Amino acid sequence: MLVEIFRTSVSTGTKFNISEIMRMVDQIVTYPDVQIRTDLLEQIPEAASICHEYPHLFDNVLHDYLLSFIITFLQERDNQIRMSAQTAVLALTKKGLLDNNTIETILCPQIEMLCRSVDFINCGVSLMCKLAPFIGEDLAEKIFLDKYIALCEVFYTRKICASHFGEFCAAVRRKTLFRKLFPLYIDLCFDKVWGVRKACVDVMMSVSCCMTLQHRRLLLAELLAAHLNDESKWVRMSAFQILGPFISTFAKQFTEVTYNHHGELVFTSQQDTRFSIRYLYEGIFPAKCTIQSHMVDTEDYNSKDNFDSSVIIQKPIYEDDDEEDESQEDYIFTMRAYKTKIQWKHLQNDEDDTENFNPFLYFYISPDLPLDEELVESAKRSAAERSGGRRSIVQDDIDQNLFTNTTASSKASSLDYVLKGNKYPANKFEVVNFNDQEIVPQHLVDSFLSMAGPEEYFDMGTDLPHYCAFSFAAVVLTLGRENWPYLKPAYQSLASANQWKVRRTLASSIHEIANILGEELTATDLVPIYDGFIKDLDEVRIGVLKHLATFLKMLRPEDQRQYLPRLKEFLTTDTESNWRFREELATQLLEIVNLFSPADVERHIVSLSLDLLNDKVAAVRHVALSLVTQIVAHLSVNECLVTALFQELRFFLGLYAKKWVRRQTFALVCAKLISSNAISGDRFSQEMLPSLLKLSSDKVPNVRLAVARTLSKNVIPMGSEWLGVERAQEVERKLRQMRSDPDRDVRVLAGGEENSVLDIHVANEN
């Protein structure tokens, strides 16, 4: 009743005794029942909003009472209460009810105390990372950054910190992200604990949203490639799950990559902000952080300010007005250092350490004899040959020491804190020419396509083809139709997969690929696959049926007509109770009527519409009403065809129909035709009105009810000019007769009044 009391105070303008009310609430705070305290936490944000909007009635209730309640709940042992308290804090922050001073002086000490406790550290880190994006970059960096960096280096908090890394990246400046957080992310990606590495993979998309295309290409692609070959199958599985969405972030059509409030990853078109692709991770991918990331800057790759047009890097990622930008040379040097660090850590993880467990090392006793130098050198050369060329190249780069001049040495010293003091080889940096480079790093595309035939990934389960199918349309959009021949074999392999959920996923997105490929490629490559989906299980067929109209619009007219005889196949389902299938068919037919000539519509679609209009389920018949109305309007240009259609409607649904539902549907068709302006008054009075008037005396009340509603709500409002004077008078006479109908509802709809005496008399007769 807390919120109701506050609302009553606002509506009446009465100022209650807040201290007395809060004293009662304080008893609930200490109540032992968990559910009662949880319910209180759910009410606090709404109560705080009311108090903030009307401070003259409630004084400073939020800071004096409600906030202290929340802080008390944050320290509870019960996890449900702590999570509810977190939700309350975030809700108050989102609504702007907590100022920066309150957050810094009251909440932050509590969060720091939670982070120091082994029992509550997960709660503290989670609250810190979720709160940071809402308090602004300055405050987040001031009060949270150092604590977060320190926690990322603690053994038992690395995993929880890694799982919230994307949220914290969205809370700081890009310069801070690139100079302080990204080196930590690299270290966490190569952590010895597989759970930490998996957490890094799960947040890689949200980290990617905060970085530019260059960083995704040169740095994050390297990290993802390392995870695709990780020794832990759980890390590899997570990496393959995000591989398709990660590839799609390279699409030239998109300039903004972000998460919306539904937790969907959204790519917004550069040309049209209304066009976007959304990835909904529920049921497909691991749960991702719901954050609002930084906007991805639009890069001008043809800028005249480029000092080197062969280098993809155009400008630093960070552009803060209050900080002096680094030079292009310093920026490129930093990128080199990061890329070298990633490569060196990957190389260290790939080193073969089996020799360390050689039993010879455990049982060998070194003799007290001097070593033969010639034998030692020979053994070193042999080991170097076995280790492979890659390590030799890296060692050569180390020995060459590319950064030997004074300027480079000073730069290297300035990056000591970035590289954590490790001696990573500064080998030659990969110079990329954007105009000649593939859109996506080739090794990522190869790995993605390999998911279509996962024989080599048997240890990771059978879900990889499903993940591949889910992202295939986005990958095709990224690579473009010119690269379709390279993608086509994998798509065909997925289309013939044994798992029906893989085929269903492809069937649900084949229209998107058709839109990308165009008419010719769709006709040659996608139509055969589409035909196979039509013959598949209902679970697969519904995928193509939901976008039937969209797919047909992508085809040439001659290809469209080939599907007309096959439309009736959709009426056949595995189970007759699958009425939603028929409802979807009616919806799609409604959209494709205008694609075909009146003769084709009359030959193939009219019979389907009548079957749907005669369906057992009311929801199917409701959509079929709109379908028949659309067909009548489309056939109106041909007098013979539309007359034949009216004859069929009267025969199947009119006076001769044995089932009362059909006769009722006839009245509903008449109402729909009039309300949609699909028929003229003269034609209606000739073709439909005589049968409608005869149904006014039908023996079934539901039929008479539909007739009364149609006459009073649709026919009469059109007036005598639309229907004709004689016909209008005839309609009026019928309505007067129906006002004395035995059924009360019929009388009311006909414009009469309730007659309780007549009702009682009829009831007694029955």
Side-chain angles (χ1 to χ4, degrees):
M1 297 181 63
L2 178 64
V3 174
E4 292 300 326
I5 292 174
F6 286 176
R7 288 175 178 169
T8 302
S9 176
V10 172
S11 60
T12 60
T14 305
K15 186 173 183 180
F16 294 138
N17 189 342
I18 299 299
S19 300
E20 183 65 25
I21 295 175
M22 291 299 109
R23 191 177 301 112
M24 298 167 58
V25 175
D26 188 58
Q27 297 177 10
I28 303 177
V29 175
T30 57
Y31 198 79
D33 188 271
V34 173
Q35 187 58 47
I36 291 179
R37 287 179 289 170
T38 303
D39 292 341
L40 174 61
L41 279 169
E42 294 176 355
Q43 301 299 322
I44 284 180
E46 180 65 22
S49 300
I50 298 175
C51 297
H52 179 76
E53 189 174 354
Y54 301 94
H56 62 285
L57 295 177
F58 304 101
D59 298 329
N60 199 9
V61 176
L62 174 60
H63 293 81
D64 293 343
Y65 298 99
L66 300 181
L67 191 58
S68 63
F69 296 158
I70 294 177
I71 293 174
T72 301
F73 287 132
L74 284 173
Q75 303 169 3
E76 283 282 347
R77 288 284 178 181
D78 187 83
N79 182 64
Q80 180 182 355
I81 294 179
R82 291 201 308 272
M83 295 300 295
S84 299
Q86 282 192 40
T87 304
V89 170
L90 296 175
L92 294 176
T93 307
K94 289 179 184 179
K95 294 179 179 180
L97 304 183
L98 299 179
D99 56 89
N100 289 349
N101 182 60
T102 301
I103 294 174
E104 185 174 359
T105 59
I106 299 178
L107 283 181
C108 289
Q110 297 299 324
I111 295 175
E112 185 174 359
M113 184 176 64
L114 293 174
C115 292
R116 290 177 181 176
S117 172
V118 178
D119 297 330
F120 300 141
I121 190 167
N122 288 353
C123 176
V125 174
S126 176
L127 181 57
M128 177 197 303
C129 296
K130 291 180 179 179
L131 187 63
F134 300 113
I135 64 177
E137 297 171 346
D138 295 334
L139 189 59
E141 293 182 13
K142 176 183 176 182
I143 62 179
F144 288 149
L145 182 60
D146 293 337
K147 296 182 181 68
Y148 182 76
I149 292 176
L151 290 170
C152 285
E153 298 174 351
V154 179
F155 175 76
Y156 58 87
T157 58
R158 294 201 306 270
K159 183 178 179 180
I160 184 66
C161 289
S163 64
H164 292 284
F165 209 93
E167 293 167 307
F168 208 86
C169 288
V172 299
R173 295 186 181 89
R174 289 188 170 176
K175 181 173 183 178
T176 303
L177 163 62
F178 190 58
R179 302 292 292 184
K180 293 187 177 181
L181 292 181
F182 192 68
L184 279 174
Y185 185 69
I186 296 175
D187 290 334
L188 292 172
C189 283
F190 293 99
D191 195 272
K192 294 182 179 180
V193 180
W194 70 266
V196 178
R197 302 196 301 273
K198 183 180 183 300
C200 291
V201 176
D202 291 341
V203 300
M204 184 172 287
M205 284 302 299
S206 52
V207 174
S208 175
C209 291
C210 302
M211 308 188 81
T212 60
L213 177 62
Q214 300 97 316
H215 293 84
R216 286 195 288 273
R217 172 182 287 277
L218 299 178
L219 301 179
L220 291 177
E222 292 286 337
L223 289 175
L224 185 55
H227 291 308
L228 290 171
N229 297 283
D230 196 273
E231 62 182 11
S232 171
K233 79 169 186 177
W234 306 110
V235 179
R236 296 197 304 272
M237 288 176 63
S238 295
F240 277 110
Q241 288 172 13
I242 70 164
L243 179 56
F246 183 81
I247 289 175
S248 63
T249 61
F250 289 85
K252 296 179 181 179
Q253 294 89 339
F254 302 106
T255 55
E256 180 184 339
V257 187
T258 184
Y259 281 97
N260 64 14
H261 62 285
H262 296 300
E264 299 171 332
L265 181 64
V266 181
F267 304 104
T268 305
S269 173
Q270 179 179 4
Q271 291 79 17
D272 186 359
T273 56
R274 295 172 297 176
F275 178 69
S276 63
I277 284 183
R278 289 176 171 83
Y279 280 107
L280 178 59
Y281 289 94
E282 181 181 359
I284 276 289
F285 296 115
K288 297 296 187 296
C289 308
T290 305
I291 63 171
Q292 181 69 31
S293 70
H294 295 288
M295 299 294 183
V296 178
D297 290 337
T298 305
E299 302 295 336
D300 182 9
Y301 294 108
N302 299 320
S303 175
K304 298 180 180 180
D305 298 333
N306 271 347
F307 75 98
D308 185 357
S309 60
S310 66
V311 179
I312 185 175
I313 303 165
Q314 302 292 324
K315 58 184 179 180
I317 189 173
Y318 37 85
E319 297 179 359
D320 296 324
D321 297 335
D322 56 342
E323 299 185 31
E324 184 178 353
D325 288 342
E326 288 188 339
S327 66
Q328 189 80 308
E329 185 179 358
D330 292 335
Y331 175 66
I332 294 177
F333 177 82
T334 306
M335 289 286 290
R336 287 174 177 172
Y338 284 157
K339 189 172 181 66
T340 305
K341 177 175 181 177
I342 294 172
Q343 293 173 342
W344 182 245
K345 277 188 169 288
H346 191 190
L347 180 62
Q348 285 181 323
N349 286 358
D350 288 344
E351 288 182 355
D352 187 7
D353 58 353
T354 55
E355 287 299 319
N356 296 334
F357 304 95
N358 192 330
F360 177 76
L361 299 177
Y362 292 91
F363 299 103
Y364 174 72
I365 301 176
S366 177
D368 295 332
L369 294 174
L371 296 176
D372 190 327
E373 295 182 0
E374 184 177 353
L375 290 177
V376 172
E377 292 298 328
S378 177
K380 288 183 178 180
R381 287 194 299 271
S382 177
E385 293 175 359
R386 290 197 305 268
S387 63
R390 185 174 60 172
R391 293 183 59 188
S392 300
I393 293 173
V394 173
Q395 187 62 41
D396 291 342
D397 289 335
I398 297 174
D399 296 336
Q400 290 175 7
N401 194 7
L402 298 178
F403 302 103
T404 55
N405 54 55
T406 305
T407 304
S409 298
S410 62
K411 292 175 183 176
S413 62
S414 67
L415 284 174
D416 284 343
Y417 78 100
V418 176
L419 301 181
K420 304 297 182 184
N422 296 327
K423 302 299 182 182
Y424 300 104
N427 56 341
K428 293 183 179 180
F429 184 59
E430 178 185 0
V431 177
V432 180
N433 188 326
F434 184 80
N435 295 324
D436 298 334
Q437 180 70 10
E438 294 291 338
I439 300 173
V440 180
Q442 189 61 38
H443 60 87
L444 295 183
V445 180
D446 293 339
S447 298
F448 176 78
L449 297 181
S450 68
M451 296 166 63
E455 291 80 8
E456 56 184 307
Y457 305 117
F458 64 92
D459 61 326
M460 289 189 288
T462 59
D463 287 336
L464 287 187
H466 190 204
Y467 300 135
C468 182
F470 185 82
S471 303
F472 210 97
V475 173
V476 174
L477 177 66
T478 302
L479 297 180
R481 72 178 67 179
E482 61 274 9
N483 291 311
W484 170 247
Y486 179 63
L487 304 175
K488 178 181 174 182
Y491 190 80
Q492 292 175 334
S493 176
L494 292 172
S496 59
N498 293 329
Q499 293 179 290
W500 63 265
K501 67 178 183 179
V502 175
R503 304 195 303 273
R504 180 186 62 182
T505 303
L506 284 188
S508 301
S509 62
I510 192 172
H511 64 288
E512 297 285 0
I513 298 181
N515 186 29
I516 300 169
L517 298 184
E519 289 184 354
E520 294 184 4
L521 289 176
T522 298
T524 57
D525 297 340
L526 296 185
V527 166
I529 297 176
Y530 195 89
D531 293 342
F533 287 152
I534 293 178
K535 302 175 183 178
D536 214 313
L537 302 174
D538 284 354
E539 290 81 2
V540 179
R541 296 169 68 207
I542 192 61
V544 294
L545 179 59
K546 283 185 175 181
H547 305 284
L548 174 66
T550 305
F551 185 80
L552 291 182
K553 292 176 183 178
M554 306 292 177
L555 301 179
R556 294 170 295 194
E558 56 271 20
D559 294 327
Q560 292 174 352
R561 284 194 294 272
Q562 294 178 2
Y563 283 95
L564 283 173
R566 306 192 59 184
L567 292 175
K568 61 182 179 181
E569 296 179 20
F570 287 109
L571 282 178
T572 305
T573 56
D574 296 338
T575 58
E576 188 178 356
S577 60
N578 191 3
W579 61 269
R580 295 186 185 277
F581 207 96
R582 302 191 297 275
E583 181 186 23
E584 187 61 44
L585 175 61
T587 303
Q588 295 300 314
L589 292 176
L590 179 61
E591 296 185 22
I592 68 174
V593 166
N594 293 328
L595 294 179
F596 303 102
S597 65
D600 289 334
V601 171
E602 195 276 335
R603 186 178 304 111
H604 298 285
I605 300 182
V606 167
S607 59
L608 288 177
S609 66
L610 294 177
D611 291 338
L612 294 169
L613 203 59
N614 190 31
D615 197 88
K616 296 179 180 179
V617 181
V620 179
R621 299 196 301 270
H622 179 74
V623 181
L625 289 175
S626 300
L627 173 61
V628 170
T629 302
Q630 181 72 15
I631 292 175
V632 170
H634 189 66
L635 298 182
S636 59
V637 296
N638 190 312
E639 186 72 21
C640 296
L641 294 179
V642 73
T643 301
L645 176 58
F646 285 131
Q647 290 177 353
E648 293 183 2
L649 288 174
R650 291 195 302 269
F651 178 77
F652 284 105
L653 305 176
L655 297 173
Y656 305 103
K658 294 182 179 180
K659 296 183 179 181
W660 68 266
V661 174
R662 292 190 184 184
R663 301 194 297 274
Q664 181 192 49
T665 303
F666 183 85
L668 297 178
V669 169
C670 294
K672 191 67 176 179
L673 289 173
I674 298 173
S675 62
S676 301
N677 293 323
I679 190 172
S680 64
D682 293 338
R683 182 172 291 277
F684 179 78
S685 62
Q686 295 174 5
E687 304 285 354
M688 306 295 285
L689 185 60
S691 298
L692 181 64
L693 294 177
K694 291 179 181 179
L695 289 176
S696 63
S697 58
D698 195 274
K699 61 182 179 180
V700 179
N702 283 351
V703 178
R704 301 197 303 273
L705 191 69
V707 173
R709 181 183 292 108
T710 301
L711 293 177
S712 60
K713 303 293 184 181
N714 298 100
V715 177
I716 291 298
M718 298 300 294
S720 58
E721 295 180 358
W722 180 78
L723 193 60
V725 177
E726 293 183 2
R727 291 294 186 180
Q729 293 176 352
E730 188 176 358
V731 170
E732 288 286 357
R733 286 195 298 271
K734 284 294 181 183
L735 283 176
R736 285 196 297 269
Q737 295 176 6
M738 298 182 75
R739 289 168 189 164
S740 59
D741 193 271
D743 189 88
R744 180 183 59 184
D745 294 333
V746 175
R747 295 197 302 271
V748 172
L749 282 176
E753 297 180 355
E754 297 184 13
N755 190 340
S756 57
V757 177
L758 181 60
D759 289 341
I760 296 173
H761 177 69
V762 172
N764 292 332
E765 289 181 353
N766 294 333

